[in-house]
Amino acid sequence: MLFRKPKYATIPLPKKKIETPEGLWIKCDECGELVYKKDWHASQMVCPECNYHARLGVKERLKLIMDEGVEEFNQGIKSVDFLGFVDSKAYSQRLEDAQKKTGFLDAIITVKGNIHGYRVIAGILCFDFMGGSMGSVMGEKIALAVDECIKENLPLVIFCASGGARMQEGTMSLMQMAKTSASIAKLSEAGIPYISVLTHPTTGGVTASFATLADIIIAEPKALICFAGPRVIEQTIGQKLPEGFQRSEFLLEHGLLDMVVPRKEMKATLANVLKMLY
Ligand SMILES: [Zn+2]
């Protein structure tokens, strides 16, 4: 058979990859929706699709809640690797890495400043610093913040986000639960109000101590707040847990919390509560 010679040739073209420019979109951890990064930041890291309140950095939190002119105090206290603890990495190395990553010396900063004109002493936990874990520095800084509240007759506000006690400090980290609880009791005896704001996630030894000992306990929507996590409980009791278990809304209904407040209303709500307490 004869074929006419084709007048054109098909050249195999390289496959065209459709790419989204890097860093333009954020994927919501809760619903998986892609959100335009600008919108994500404009909504203070709250998903416009499902109202998931993603973790906020310490600096962003300060900017959102406190008026201008915040002063940090006791910023020079840092942990010592007194056990010479090594897991897959030495604790001293973990500390150094976390300090480099966050710019803080440990997982909490304490500040003096105003919330809509109401002067407070505030503590903000940094989840990016070893999961916001509580070691001897966090315990000490909370105790010192309480002393400062009593000295200056100022209310205490703590923003929590933590994976619990810092295992690299062994029993010493568990002792911080008793230390911070005793401190908060001292604050209560002095008649000074304490407000805690629980953000996603607040767990373990922090939940079981100062986070849930406040006069007013506020949480951000849908935050996981627990001692042992849901997976651990399910495996232990061999039962499925109810929908929304250990999330803010469930805990409000069951009496652990006083309020669930969206991030954009948090500053005004805190100011209202402070106004009543002042
Ligand atoms: Zn979402």
Side-chain angles (χ1 to χ4, degrees), residues 53 61 158-162 194-203 206-207 209-214 216-226 248 251 256-261 263 266:
H53 283 51
R61 177 81 60 190
I158 300 184
F159 292 86
C160 302
S162 175
Y194 163 40
I195 305 168
S196 76
V197 180
L198 314 184
T199 72
H200 180 73
T202 298
T203 66
V206 166
T207 303
S209 62
F210 66 90
T212 49
L213 289 173
I216 312 269
I217 308 174
I218 303 175
E220 285 193 330
K222 294 187 176 181
L224 176 72
I225 300 155
C226 60
S248 309
L251 297 171
L256 186 89
L257 306 174
D258 296 300
M259 279 183 253
V260 176
V261 177
R263 193 167 285 167
M266 189 62 82

Side-chain angles (χ1 to χ4, degrees), residues 139-190:
E140 179 68 3
K141 284 179 91 166
I142 289 175
L144 290 171
V146 165
D147 291 348
E148 203 63 20
C149 287
I150 295 172
K151 200 172 108 198
E152 297 201 25
N153 196 22
L154 286 175
L156 177 67
V157 182
I158 300 184
F159 292 86
C160 302
S162 175
R166 185 173 295 171
M167 61 168 192
Q168 290 84 350
E169 291 189 17
T171 314
M172 198 64 90
S173 72
L174 296 177
M175 282 168 64
Q176 306 312 310
M177 293 167 67
K179 177 169 172 165
T180 53
S181 300
S183 265
I184 300 298
K186 210 164 79 176
L187 191 68
S188 174
E189 276 158 27

Side-chain angles (χ1 to χ4, degrees), residues 28 30-33 47 49-52:
C28 170
E30 185 80 4
C31 70
E33 195 68 32
C47 174
E49 293 299 319
C50 72
N51 196 32
Y52 170 68

Side-chain angles (χ1 to χ4, degrees), residues 223-230 233 241 244-248 250-251:
L224 176 72
I225 300 155
C226 60
F227 182 62
I233 299 177
L241 294 167
F245 186 67
Q246 297 176 318
R247 296 285 172 155
S248 309
F250 185 95
L251 297 171

